[in-house]
Amino acid sequence: MPFTTAAVLAAAALVAIAILARTALTAWNGWLDLKRAEIARPTDGSPHALGMIDLSDLKERLRKLEAIAAGVDL
């Protein structure tokens, strides 16, 4: 293979890798920005679904502990 052909292929491969790296970096930064926006989003006082699940789980555990303390067999 002549030197010019190898040099052109190497340059093309290097450009392709640079384009892929730039695209991946842009996507990563966009994902990080999205996560930062989710964390910084102000709450309007309404509980999230996950928080409601946690709250109902805690209420159920509390009910069971009160039943144990009262001597009631579940």
Side-chain angles (χ1 to χ4, degrees), residues 48-71:
H48 297 290
L50 185 58
M52 292 177 64
I53 292 171
D54 289 341
L55 184 61
S56 66
D57 185 40
L58 287 175
K59 285 181 180 179
E60 179 66 23
R61 287 181 183 185
L62 180 62
R63 187 187 64 79
K64 287 181 181 179
L65 286 173
E66 288 173 343
I68 291 171

Side-chain angles (χ1 to χ4, degrees), residues 23 37 46:
T23 303
S46 63

Side-chain angles (χ1 to χ4, degrees), residues 5-39:
T5 304
V8 168
L9 285 176
L14 186 61
V15 168
I17 290 172
I19 290 171
L20 289 174
R22 175 68 181 185
T23 303
L25 182 62
T26 302
W28 176 253
N29 283 332
W31 184 81
L32 286 176
D33 289 340
L34 174 67
K35 291 302 172 183
R36 285 186 193 113
E38 287 178 356
I39 290 171

